[in-house]
Amino acid sequence: MFLLWALPLALYLFYRWSIATYDYFEKRNVPYVKPVPFFGQVLSFFTQGRHAVDVASEGYRMFRNTRISGVFTLRTPAYLVHDPTLYKQMATKDFDHFTDHVTDFRIETDPILARSLFFTNGAHWRQHRSGLSPAFTGSKMRSMFGLLSKSAGDAMGRLLVFAAGKPFTMELRDLYSRLGNDVMTSISFGVEVDSLTDRDNEFFLKGKRLAQIDGLPGLKFLMATTIPRVFHFFRLSGMYKDVNEFYTDAVARNIQLRETNRINRPDFIHLLLQARKNTLGAEKHEDEALQDAGFSTVKEHTLEQKMGEGKMNWADIDIAGAAASFFFGGIETTTTLLCFTSYELAVNPDIQERLRAEIDEQRESLADGRTPTYEVLQKMKYLDMVVSEALRRWTPLGLTNRKCTKNYTFTNTDGSQVTIERGQNISIPLKYFHLDEKFYPDPLRFDPERFADPNNINQDAYVPFGAGLRNCIGSRLALMQAKCILFYMLSNFIIKPDTKLTIPIVIDETSAGLNAKHGFWMNLVPRSA
C-alpha cells in the first residue's frame, strides 16, 4: 500500500524540484526558450534533428527585439547574447566580468586538452596567453611560412603526379585534412610526413582521432560544454588515451633531440622552447608591417597579468598541450574553411576564375613562378575577399561561450536592467550574427564583393575568430595556411562539382563542428589537361 502512494509522490516532488527554477527569467522580464522539465534545453540537442549550434541559438530566431534571451541547461539558467555590440563590450571593455570559457577539462583525465589555451581559465590562462602571444606575431608567421609553403607545394606536386594530366574525383575533406596534417605536423612538431602517399602514417591516424568532432568524441565534447558536472562525475575524457600518450611522447622525444643536437628550426616547438627560456619576444618594428593577414585578422589586446601570478613554466607536457591545440586548429578549423571555400568556388565558377586570374597575375612576379611568399599572400585583395566571405557564410566555429566571473548589469532594448550573475554561462551565436540580414543583405548568398570596401562591414557583427582578449590567437596562422593552400590548388587545378556532390550542400547535423553530410566530392581538372 505504501508504494502505491509513495512512488507517485516521489515522482511529483521530483517534477516540482526539476521545474522550481523555471520562473527565473519570467521574474526578470527576459524572454526565454521554454524548457522541458528537468532537461531544460539539453534534450533538444539529442532529439530535434538539428545541428547543435542551431539548437543552442534558437532564442536568436525566436526573439528578434532583445539584446539577450534566456535558456535552461537542465535546471540552471543561462543566457544567449543577441546583440553583437553587447558581445564586443563583454569581450573587451568589460572583459573582467567574462574571463573564462565554460568547458572545463581536468588534467587528471585530459592532460593535453586541459593544458590547451582554449580550455584554460583564470591565472593559468593569463600566463598561457601572455607567453604564447609573441609566437603568433606577423614576423613569426612569416618565419614559419617557408615550412608551410614547402609542405603544401610538395603535396600539390604529388597530387599532380597522381593526376597524370587527367581529371580525377576526390573528396576534399579527406584531401585537405591530409594536407593540413602534413603542414601542421611540420610546423607544430618539427616532423615531415607525406599523408597523400603514406596514407596511414601514425601522425595522420592520431591527428584524425585528435581532430574528430563527430560520433562519440563530439558527444563527449557537447556534454563537457552543456553538462560539465555530469561529464566530470563519470570521469569522462575528451581525448582518447592513446592520443594523449602519443603527442606527449612525440613532443618529449623531439625536445630531447633538439637540445642534444642543438637543432634550431623555425616552428612552434622552437618558439615554445624560447618561451621556456623567457627569450621569446616580438620584433615590434618588423611586426607592424606584417601584422595584417587579412580583413579577418583579430585585433591583438594587451593582457595585464595580476600581481603575484608570475610567468608560465613551460614543462614538456605544457608544450605538448600547446602544440596539440595548434595542430587541432590547423587541421579541423582550416580544413573546414578550405572545404566550404572550395564548394563555393565550384558552384560559382565566375568567382573561381576571377580568383585564379589574381593568382596567375601574382605568379608572374615570383622568382620560380609558383612558390608564394608571405608578403605576396598579404597583398592579394580578392583572395582575402573570398576567404573573408567564406568565413562569414560558413563560420567554422558557429558558437562560442563565456562564464560570468563577476556580476554584470546592462540595459536591455526595453529599458529594463538585466544582471548576469557570477557563475552563469553565456553563449554567443557567431553564425547567426553572420547570417542576419540586418547586417548582411541576402545573407545566404556567397558574395565576396561584400568585402570590397571594409567600411561597409559592421565589424561588431563580423567575428569569425571571436572578439576581445579571448579571441582566436591563431587567426594569422589559419588565414596564412588557408590562403597558401588555395593559392597552390587554383594554380594547378580547376575545381568542378562532381556528380556525387550534393547541391545545395547538406550540413551534417550529428557533427559538433561544421561538415557536409554527404562529403565534398569534387572533380579536379589539371590546368595542363
Side-chain angles (χ1 to χ4, degrees), residues 214-410:
D214 55 6
L216 180 60
L219 175 62
K220 290 196 292 184
F221 184 80
L222 184 62
M223 289 179 64
T225 303
T226 57
I227 44 176
R229 290 182 182 178
V230 176
F231 183 84
H232 294 309
F233 177 80
F234 287 105
R235 294 186 60 79
L236 299 175
S237 60
M239 190 185 294
Y240 294 110
K241 183 179 179 182
D242 65 298
V243 176
N244 274 307
E245 293 172 348
F246 173 78
Y247 286 113
T248 302
D249 183 60
V251 169
R253 285 187 286 106
N254 196 291
I255 290 173
Q256 184 179 26
L257 179 68
R258 291 175 188 232
E259 292 182 338
T260 301
N261 298 284
R262 297 183 179 181
I263 297 172
N264 286 324
R265 190 175 185 271
D267 57 19
F268 277 123
I269 296 290
H270 175 68
L271 294 175
L272 293 170
L273 287 174
Q274 285 187 318
R276 173 188 281 181
K277 299 171 185 175
N278 292 322
T279 59
L280 177 62
E283 297 84 354
K284 293 182 180 179
H285 297 295
E286 187 179 13
D287 283 348
E288 289 176 4
L290 299 171
Q291 287 290 72
D292 185 9
F295 181 80
S296 305
T297 312
V298 298
K299 180 182 178 182
E300 288 298 320
H301 298 269
T302 302
L303 183 64
E304 296 182 4
Q305 285 192 248
K306 297 183 178 180
M307 290 289 293
E309 282 185 351
K311 292 186 176 181
M312 178 86 175
N313 295 317
W314 291 93
D316 285 3
I317 186 67
D318 296 308
I319 293 176
S325 63
F326 305 154
F327 188 81
F328 174 86
I331 290 183
E332 174 56 32
T333 306
T334 309
T335 293
T336 299
L337 170 58
L338 285 167
C339 284
F340 281 96
T341 303
S342 296
Y343 164 75
E344 292 291 358
L345 293 175
V347 298
N348 296 283
D350 54 329
I351 296 175
Q352 183 177 169
E353 282 306 311
R354 182 175 169 185
L355 179 55
R356 183 176 291 105
E358 183 185 53
I359 290 172
D360 288 347
E361 181 182 353
Q362 293 300 323
R363 289 175 63 192
E364 292 177 2
S365 66
L366 300 174
D368 62 359
R370 62 177 183 272
T371 307
T373 64
Y374 185 81
E375 289 81 0
V376 162
L377 294 185
Q378 268 189 310
K379 66 183 182 182
M380 293 182 64
K381 181 174 176 59
Y382 195 66
L383 174 60
D384 189 58
M385 290 163 58
V386 168
V387 170
S388 298
E389 174 67 348
L391 285 167
R392 180 203 68 82
R393 178 62 184 88
W394 304 102
T395 310
L397 183 65
L399 187 80
T400 190
N401 60 58
R402 296 289 187 276
K403 181 181 288 292
C404 183
T405 51
K406 185 165 61 173
N407 283 9
Y408 183 73
T409 301
F410 66 95

Side-chain angles (χ1 to χ4, degrees), residues 361-470:
E361 181 182 353
Q362 293 300 323
R363 289 175 63 192
E364 292 177 2
S365 66
L366 300 174
D368 62 359
R370 62 177 183 272
T371 307
T373 64
Y374 185 81
E375 289 81 0
V376 162
L377 294 185
Q378 268 189 310
K379 66 183 182 182
M380 293 182 64
K381 181 174 176 59
Y382 195 66
L383 174 60
D384 189 58
M385 290 163 58
V386 168
V387 170
S388 298
E389 174 67 348
L391 285 167
R392 180 203 68 82
R393 178 62 184 88
W394 304 102
T395 310
L397 183 65
L399 187 80
T400 190
N401 60 58
R402 296 289 187 276
K403 181 181 288 292
C404 183
T405 51
K406 185 165 61 173
N407 283 9
Y408 183 73
T409 301
F410 66 95
T411 303
N412 206 350
T413 49
D414 61 0
S416 63
Q417 296 290 297
V418 177
T419 297
I420 302 174
E421 299 179 69
R422 183 176 181 270
Q424 290 184 324
N425 299 336
I426 65 168
S427 296
I428 303 96
L430 308 182
K431 169 185 172 179
Y432 282 85
F433 292 166
H434 295 165
L435 298 182
D436 194 325
E437 60 186 7
K438 289 188 301 185
F439 310 120
Y440 302 98
D442 196 6
L444 298 183
R445 182 166 60 92
F446 185 79
D447 182 15
E449 289 301 318
R450 298 180 201 272
F451 293 87
D453 182 358
N455 294 321
N456 293 333
I457 299 296
N458 182 330
Q459 301 210 15
D460 287 349
Y462 184 73
V463 281
F465 294 107
L469 283 79
R470 288 208 73 150

Side-chain angles (χ1 to χ4, degrees), residues 95 98-107 110-132 221 303 312 314 317-318 321-322 325-326 401-403 405 469-471 473:
F95 174 74
F98 300 96
T99 58
D100 293 349
H101 274 306
V102 171
T103 311
D104 176 31
F105 289 108
R106 304 285 171 82
I107 286 178
D110 273 301
I112 294 290
L113 283 182
R115 288 178 168 88
S116 70
L117 183 61
F118 189 85
F119 298 117
T120 55
N121 288 319
H124 189 198
W125 172 79
R126 284 191 295 273
Q127 292 175 327
H128 206 159
R129 180 86 184 206
S130 296
L132 282 178
F221 184 80
L303 183 64
M312 178 86 175
W314 291 93
I317 186 67
D318 296 308
S325 63
F326 305 154
N401 60 58
R402 296 289 187 276
K403 181 181 288 292
T405 51
L469 283 79
R470 288 208 73 150
N471 60 24
I473 195 173

